[in-house]
Amino acid sequence: YVKESYDECKLEKKQEAVVFIFNNAGNFWSNLIPRLTLRGLRPKSKYKVVEPIPNNLTRVPANLQVVHTKEPVYLLDQRTVYMSGDTLMNVGIPVHFLTRDDSFLLQLT
């Protein structure tokens, strides 16, 4: 289905966005935590950032082993956070990949 005009599309009005984050770095592991910075947001606006599908893995601090958890694990420590456009574009979102095929889904409104 193709809309006649881009003006009808919510994403063109920048009312919401979906961000997919994938680990494509292979076997590389580091104690440095990469940050995902976004572009095209309104710096002064507050954005609701939701992670609808939490991870079920965590890393044991004592031995760095990756283990399954019963409780959901969120990239930003909770399902929903509010962040300014300025923060999302300049500071970014810390991305903690635990496995070679790890990924995250975020929804911004």
Side-chain angles (χ1 to χ4, degrees):
Y1 176 79
V2 177
K3 296 203 180 245
E4 295 276 330
S5 166
Y6 287 112
D7 292 336
E8 297 175 38
C9 181
K10 273 187 150 185
L11 294 177
E12 279 298 312
K13 292 181 180 179
K14 299 182 182 180
Q15 292 178 351
E16 65 180 323
V18 176
V19 179
F20 295 97
I21 309 164
F22 299 94
N23 182 11
N24 63 359
N27 288 328
F28 178 74
W29 185 85
S30 171
N31 60 358
L32 300 176
I33 299 170
R35 291 185 169 272
L36 173 70
T37 54
L38 304 179
R39 290 186 259 169
L41 303 176
R42 294 180 187 101
K44 302 284 187 211
S45 294
K46 287 285 184 191
Y47 289 88
K48 180 180 178 182
V49 181
V50 178
E51 185 176 355
I53 305 170
N55 206 333
N56 64 344
L57 299 173
T58 191
R59 190 176 305 276
V60 178
N63 61 13
L64 302 180
Q65 181 181 6
V66 176
V67 296
H68 286 275
T69 65
K70 292 180 182 178
E71 298 296 319
V73 178
Y74 294 100
L75 188 61
L76 297 171
D77 295 327
Q78 50 193 326
R79 185 177 194 278
T80 303
V81 297
Y82 293 87
M83 301 174 78
S84 71
D86 187 53
T87 299
L88 288 165
M89 291 189 296
N90 295 304
V91 177
I93 297 169
V95 180
H96 306 269
F97 290 122
L98 297 175
T99 63
R100 289 190 326 171
D101 60 351
D102 212 353
S103 62
F104 300 97
L105 170 69
L106 300 175
Q107 179 183 18
L108 278 71
T109 53

